[in-house]
Amino acid sequence: MSGAPFIGVLALQGDVREHVGALTRLGADSAPVRALEQLDACDGLVIPGGESTTMSRLARIDGWFEPLRSLRAAGVPMFGSCAGMIMLADQVLDARPDQETVGGLDVVVRRNAFGRQVDSFEMDVDMPVLGERPFHAVFIRAPWVESVGQGVEVLAEISAGERAGTIVAVRQGPVLATSFHPELTPDDRVHRYFVDMVESRGERSRGSA
């Protein structure tokens, strides 16, 4: 990887433009990924927030699942926000019977766990990997993580109220996911964290070449 990393944003459906904007502000080369052949150029890939059943259906119809799984198996960093978290989970509760996922995160995720669109909310979440300052998180029909397997690092939990202890951000190796939508805030720290993941992989690759 030379120069700025290319981080694609899967453009099946969802908050594509917002992710591209955040990544571009951070100096990454970013663009929507609309064609399968674009995956070959990706140093990292974002699966955005949106509607997970629609994403899954479109991915199945257009033949995205196997290429995405191959990309993930090759160790290319991936980041999923909200619906993207569902797409990266190994197991999803309250999903449609035919809903597929890319997988890669050894977690059990509950779809729409926080409620319907009218139940959307915002709150500050402590995420120590981003520093001491809380992250102002936007939850829209959001999933949560019910359980994690070995090797999964919990990055953020809700710390107060009736939802205290609920897991809302995780990482397993090169795969990162959040229940909330960092792309809908001006705070780019989650995206900076992901860009650092991508750049670190590139440095390791160059070192072993």
Side-chain angles (χ1 to χ4, degrees):
M1 184 168 59
S2 61
F6 176 68
I7 302 179
V9 180
L10 186 64
L12 294 175
Q13 188 262 348
D15 298 335
V16 177
R17 180 180 61 183
E18 291 83 356
H19 276 292
V20 170
L23 293 163
T24 301
R25 286 194 298 271
L26 293 169
D29 179 12
S30 185
V33 171
R34 296 190 173 94
L36 290 170
E37 54 268 25
Q38 289 178 273
L39 293 176
D40 293 337
C42 289
D43 300 305
L45 183 72
V46 174
I47 303 180
E51 213 294 311
S52 64
T53 56
T54 300
M55 286 186 188
S56 177
R57 179 175 59 82
L58 293 173
R60 184 178 67 253
I61 290 171
D62 294 335
W64 284 90
F65 275 114
E66 287 311 311
L68 287 171
R69 289 168 185 151
S70 295
L71 194 73
R72 188 254 302 157
V76 173
M78 292 187 172
F79 165 41
S81 64
C82 195
M85 170 184 271
I86 294 170
M87 288 285 283
L88 290 172
D90 285 346
Q91 185 176 350
V92 181
L93 304 178
D94 295 335
R96 291 173 58 96
D98 61 345
Q99 187 166 339
E100 290 186 64
T101 71
V102 176
L105 277 174
D106 184 12
V107 298
V108 178
V109 167
R110 185 173 295 277
R111 179 177 171 270
N112 292 351
F114 286 103
R116 300 168 63 85
Q117 190 85 13
V118 295
D119 301 311
S120 302
F121 64 98
E122 301 179 21
M123 71 181 305
D124 287 346
V125 173
D126 290 325
M127 196 166 173
V129 294
L130 304 182
E132 295 184 3
R133 179 164 54 94
F135 190 89
H136 190 71
V138 178
F139 294 86
I140 303 174
R141 295 180 64 191
W144 66 42
V145 178
E146 296 224 339
S147 63
V148 302
Q150 290 185 348
V152 177
E153 181 183 3
V154 175
L155 300 182
E157 298 176 312
I158 292 177
S159 58
E162 63 182 15
R163 302 185 181 98
T166 300
I167 301 170
V168 293
V170 292
R171 176 180 177 180
Q172 185 172 11
V175 183
L176 171 70
T178 62
S179 298
F180 50 89
H181 289 262
E183 72 276 13
L184 299 183
T185 76
D187 188 339
D188 290 335
R189 286 180 294 159
V190 173
H191 289 87
R192 174 77 264 173
Y193 182 75
F194 183 63
V195 171
D196 288 345
M197 288 171 56
V198 175
E199 291 178 339
S200 293
R201 179 178 183 266
E203 290 168 1
R204 290 194 300 272
S205 297
R206 287 193 296 272
S208 62

